[in-house]
């Protein structure tokens, strides 16, 4: 299933790329795309276990860039 999030306070393109790489490695995430200019993160995630996957996504984002807040659109 496709999910779109806004990454508030995303500071630079390097941070966007690091978040994209980290999130893409999470089990249950089929693909991840982070656009610095729009501050959007678009994910293709497995529906089964989505709540647990979302927790992992939030943890990776906070570890990569502590100031970023994730908001689902």
């Amino acid at each position: 299933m496709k999910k779109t999030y806004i990454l508030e306070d995303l500071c630079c393109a390097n941070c966007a790329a690091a978040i994209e790489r980290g999130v893409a490695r999470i089990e249950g995430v089929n693909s991840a795309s982070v656009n610095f200019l729009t501050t959007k993160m678009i994910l293709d995630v497995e529906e089964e276990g989505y709540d647990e996957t979302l927790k992992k996504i939030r943890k990776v984002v906070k570890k990569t860039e502590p100031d970023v807040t994730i908001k689902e659109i």
Side-chain angles (χ1 to χ4, degrees), residues 56-71:
K56 292 176 185 175
I57 291 167
R58 290 183 185 281
K59 193 179 279 187
V60 165
V61 170
K62 279 296 177 191
K63 185 177 180 183
T64 305
E65 187 57 39
D67 295 333
V68 170
T69 305
I70 301 173
K71 299 220 173 171

Side-chain angles (χ1 to χ4, degrees), residues 2-61:
K2 296 273 186 187
K3 291 287 190 177
T4 303
Y5 300 91
I6 294 292
L7 300 177
E8 291 184 346
D9 299 322
L10 186 61
C11 66
C12 66
N14 288 334
C15 293
I19 289 170
E20 183 178 290
R21 282 190 306 272
V23 170
R25 291 184 188 126
I26 296 171
E27 187 175 335
V29 175
N30 298 322
S31 68
S33 174
V34 178
N35 185 309
F36 171 65
L37 294 177
T38 63
T39 70
K40 287 184 181 178
M41 176 171 64
I42 301 171
L43 304 175
D44 180 10
V45 294
E46 307 229 349
E47 198 165 339
E48 185 176 326
Y50 172 70
D51 292 335
E52 208 46 48
T53 302
L54 183 57
K55 287 179 190 176
K56 292 176 185 175
I57 291 167
R58 290 183 185 281
K59 193 179 279 187
V60 165
V61 170

